Amino acid sequence: MRSPYPTMPGTFQVDLRGLVDLLSRHLYRSPDVYVRELLQNATDAVAARRRFEPGVTGAVEIEVVEPAGGPPEVIVTDNGIGLTGTELVELLATIGRSSKRGDLSSHRDYIGQFGIGLLACFLVADEITVVTRSAKDPDARALRWQGRADGSYDITPVESALPTGGTRVHIRARPGSEHRLTRGHVLRLTHRYGGLLPLPIRLGSTVVNDEPPPWELPALTMDQQRENALSYARRVLDLDPLDAIPLHADGVRGLAFVLPYEPSPAARQDHRVYLRRMLLSDSADRLLPDWAFFVRCVIDADNLRPNAARDGFAEDARLDEIREQLGRCIRDHLTDLARMWPSRLAGIVAMHHAGISALAVHDEQCLLLFADWLPVDTSLGRMTLGEHARRFGELRFVRRCDDFRQVAPIAAAQGRCVVNGGPANVSALLDRLAALRPERKIAELDPTEVVDSFADLTDGERAEVADLVRLAESVLRQHDVGVQVRAFAPTQMHATFVAGDDCRGRRRFLGPASTVDGPVAAGPPSQLCLNFANAAVRELARQARQGLIMRVRRAVELLYVQALLLGHHPLHDRELTLLDDVVLGFVEDRD
């Protein structure tokens, strides 16, 4: 069937107001980026003219006119390459077209590349006026391009004081945007975005960019260079860092500042990034390896590709390579600290041991260099691995935090130092260190070994507790738990529950709210070890000999649940019911 509509070629129609609304809502974070886009176009125009006429001195002049009773106006003038009439149509009246595309896109002195920068001015103005004269033709007349937010524009020749080569952009605030075009606001934005640009930028008589980048500040010594960097962080970033790390990569230079606080590894990284010395963002993410979450960077890149919003860099293979190089700079700096400034490194590692540990797990060299500074929790308090090696030599650790909570008080009472390997990366670090440094004698401790270290009872003491053991075993048989009596410290502890790996795994798998019919599946029996050094346990043994069966049963059930809780073992429904019954029995004073 023939279509009732004729087939014919056509072109897309662009609703400029809708496009500007899209930019303001989804591309740009703030309408204030109009200043960045004006500065970008001006500096790119100067860069283009320098390629056409080497040796030209570039400059950007900004004027803010604030008439009484009228909206403020911003005027930006440059002595760049200028535009011809054809280029005005191709570049200003064609959305997405850019003079930096094609052959020019490979030049490092251009910042923009998307061809939509001038549209940002429509975020704060309803009309843009561009007066330009091309430097390519000494006889070229000045042209005026007037574009409006409704999508219309016109081009007319004008008389202008512009010299050969140059552009002047006029924007007048639309209702509601007046505050964004005031002199104070424009000055702050110009300094923020263009403060590091290499060509002079003036707002009236004020030179906006009279300070070099922090990595180019003159210094005669390394200490002076470091202090310059730290001073910049305090002044500009409102940060008092622990250290400053120089960064060098292909086409990238900058500084990394070690944070004076411990951030979350999952927290968003906020880095200050420049592209050819034009600020893109002070909250860029994904610039460094994930392990380097303890530093904040300020960098300038020559050949990274910005994303569409120009508030960061596009994720590509080039950024992956730069990210790896920057991570290597941080690692090498920490290596130098270990060799030349160990006290400075000790302070950094004490604050950021989680990040250093994450690096050391995957980097053998870092592990060997920094292991002695890494802090760990032990049964005798927090200490570094180096301090542990000096005080104790052999290192024993448990892999789970729950196991550490169980054995720590007992080990501490015995003067034994057991390391908690449960926190992130600690066990993995100790395993790698044991393989790389076998002379350190690092080995895992099975919690059941703690019971083996308890003192055996004498024959007379075993006779005293025989009735208690028989009665306790009959009570706990349904829980697949054996009973023994030993003497151990601390004497305030009534009992400890020791489970083998299989039993611990089953208890975690079943979870605290599971209902289990009958005894737990067969496996190495768990043990409730009663402490003969505790007066209450000895009293229970006496009552067991006197035949106070129900009272002793309730006490054993209570000690069993208490030992589970002290060891941070999950309680099944069966143990919760048992606890409730024991408490009810004491409340009712049942015999």
Side-chain angles (χ1 to χ4, degrees):
M1 295 179 62
R2 178 176 295 180
S3 170
Y5 303 101
T7 302
M8 63 181 67
T11 59
F12 286 105
Q13 301 299 309
V14 176
D15 180 348
L16 189 58
R17 289 188 184 275
L19 183 58
V20 170
D21 183 68
L22 180 67
L23 292 177
S24 64
R25 292 178 181 272
H26 302 292
L27 186 62
Y28 295 129
R29 293 187 179 182
S30 167
D32 286 340
V33 296
Y34 82 92
V35 172
R36 183 189 67 192
E37 302 303 330
L38 289 173
L39 289 175
Q40 172 196 293
N41 286 342
T43 53
D44 283 347
V46 171
R49 183 166 185 181
R50 284 173 172 170
R51 297 187 61 82
F52 182 70
E53 297 179 52
V56 169
T57 301
V60 178
E61 303 284 345
I62 303 174
E63 181 183 0
V64 178
V65 180
E66 297 180 275
E73 182 180 6
V74 173
I75 305 168
V76 179
T77 305
D78 67 72
N79 62 341
I81 192 68
L83 296 172
T84 66
T86 301
E87 289 169 338
L88 279 174
V89 175
E90 290 182 348
L91 303 178
L92 297 190
T94 305
I95 304 302
R97 188 71 177 271
S98 173
S99 63
K100 278 78 75 173
R101 295 246 173 111
D103 294 336
L104 295 180
S105 63
S106 62
H107 298 317
R108 292 189 176 188
D109 44 4
Y110 295 114
I111 301 171
Q113 59 175 300
F114 290 96
I116 57 176
L118 199 60
L119 284 180
C121 294
F122 283 121
L123 299 175
V124 296
D126 288 326
E127 184 175 276
I128 303 171
T129 300
V130 178
V131 179
T132 185
R133 176 177 285 167
S134 175
K136 299 176 184 178
D137 181 0
D139 298 323
R141 295 188 62 185
L143 299 172
R144 181 180 63 196
W145 178 92
Q146 284 185 297
R148 290 165 285 274
D150 61 5
S152 64
Y153 72 92
D154 53 58
I155 300 174
T156 56
V158 294
E159 296 298 326
S160 173
L162 280 175
T164 301
T167 300
R168 179 175 292 131
V169 181
H170 301 248
I171 61 172
R172 182 178 287 110
R174 71 182 181 190
S177 295
E178 292 86 354
H179 65 289
R180 299 187 185 276
L181 276 71
T182 59
R183 188 182 190 281
H185 193 69
V186 172
L187 179 60
R188 286 190 296 273
L189 293 177
T190 304
H191 182 74
R192 177 171 181 253
Y193 287 113
L196 299 187
L197 286 173
L199 72 164
I201 301 174
R202 292 181 176 85
L203 198 160
S205 60
T206 303
V207 179
V208 175
N209 54 340
D210 56 355
E211 183 177 351
W215 47 87
E216 293 182 5
L217 293 172
L220 297 178
T221 66
M222 292 181 63
D223 286 341
Q224 286 179 330
Q225 184 181 29
R226 178 175 181 268
E227 185 51 43
N228 284 342
L230 296 178
S231 177
Y232 168 85
R234 299 184 193 106
R235 185 177 67 258
V236 177
L237 303 180
D238 193 25
L239 185 71
D240 190 11
L242 299 180
D243 202 7
I245 303 173
L247 298 177
H248 301 282
D250 293 339
V252 175
R253 62 235 148 244
L255 294 165
F257 298 102
V258 181
L259 297 175
Y261 55 86
E262 185 178 9
S264 166
R268 172 187 167 87
Q269 296 174 325
D270 287 328
H271 304 300
R272 192 178 182 95
V273 295
Y274 293 80
L275 180 62
R276 301 177 192 99
R277 307 215 356 204
M278 173 73 78
L279 178 69
L280 294 187
S281 174
D282 51 14
S283 58
D285 196 12
R286 298 286 300 148
L287 183 63
L288 298 176
D290 291 340
W291 57 262
F293 61 87
F294 55 91
V295 300
R296 181 181 180 188
C297 290
V298 178
I299 69 147
D300 179 43
D302 284 338
N303 55 359
L304 288 176
R305 185 166 60 91
N307 57 26
R310 286 194 285 280
D311 60 0
F313 299 117
E315 285 286 344
D316 55 21
R318 180 66 181 149
L319 180 58
D320 289 340
E321 181 181 350
I322 294 298
R323 186 182 291 125
E324 178 62 29
Q325 292 179 22
L326 296 179
R328 195 176 303 124
C329 287
I330 297 173
R331 184 195 63 187
D332 292 345
H333 181 81
L334 296 177
T335 302
D336 291 340
L337 290 183
R339 190 170 59 252
M340 296 184 291
W341 296 283
S343 60
R344 192 185 302 171
L345 176 64
I348 293 174
V349 176
M351 176 64 70
H352 298 293
H353 59 89
I356 302 296
S357 297
L359 170 61
V361 166
H362 305 288
D363 191 304
E364 178 178 308
Q365 180 183 9
C366 286
L367 175 59
L368 293 175
L369 285 170
F370 307 134
D372 285 345
W373 280 274
L374 293 174
V376 290
D377 292 319
T378 79
S379 55
L380 298 180
R382 193 168 179 84
M383 64 184 70
T384 66
L385 289 177
E387 181 183 358
H388 183 284
R390 291 189 296 271
R391 291 177 57 184
F392 302 101
E394 182 180 12
L395 187 151
R396 305 298 299 276
F397 71 97
V398 291
R399 293 191 182 276
R400 303 177 183 88
C401 290
D402 287 349
D403 291 340
F404 178 76
R405 296 186 189 102
Q406 176 184 339
V407 305
I410 300 172
Q414 298 174 351
R416 298 179 61 184
C417 189
V418 178
V419 173
N420 182 8
N425 297 313
V426 175
S427 291
L429 277 174
L430 294 176
D431 287 336
R432 285 183 56 81
L433 191 60
L436 295 172
R437 300 279 298 274
E439 72 278 6
R440 294 288 292 265
K441 297 181 180 179
I442 299 173
E444 182 180 358
L445 173 71
D446 188 330
T448 59
E449 294 181 38
V450 176
V451 176
D452 296 336
S453 68
F454 294 164
D456 286 327
L457 303 185
T458 64
D459 291 341
E461 291 169 337
R462 281 195 290 272
E464 287 183 44
V465 300
D467 292 332
L468 173 61
V469 170
R470 284 193 295 269
L471 186 54
E473 286 179 340
S474 68
V475 171
L476 299 181
R477 186 172 296 117
Q478 61 177 321
H479 300 281
D480 196 32
V481 174
V483 178
Q484 55 179 302
V485 182
R486 299 282 190 92
F488 58 89
T491 58
Q492 296 88 350
M493 182 176 287
H494 303 97
T496 183
F497 178 81
V498 182
D501 286 339
D502 291 344
C503 182
R504 284 197 297 270
R506 286 196 302 274
R507 296 193 70 87
R508 288 189 178 87
F509 177 76
L510 290 170
S514 298
T515 300
V516 181
D517 295 327
V520 180
S526 301
Q527 294 286 324
L528 180 68
C529 185
L530 299 173
N531 186 7
F532 189 74
N534 179 265
V537 172
R538 292 196 300 272
E539 174 60 22
L540 274 182
R542 187 186 68 79
Q543 293 183 10
R545 294 194 303 273
Q546 291 179 345
L548 302 177
I549 296 176
M550 293 305 299
R551 180 177 297 180
V552 173
R553 286 181 62 91
R554 284 208 309 270
V556 168
E557 291 171 341
L558 181 61
L559 292 180
Y560 169 58
V561 175
Q562 180 195 53
L564 289 176
L565 293 173
L566 290 176
H568 295 266
H569 298 284
L571 297 185
H572 301 155
D573 283 350
R574 184 171 51 191
E575 282 100 13
L576 291 172
T577 302
L578 177 63
L579 177 61
D580 183 66
D581 185 63
V582 171
V583 172
L584 184 61
F586 278 110
V587 170
E588 295 178 348
D589 194 24
R590 293 183 302 202
D591 291 331

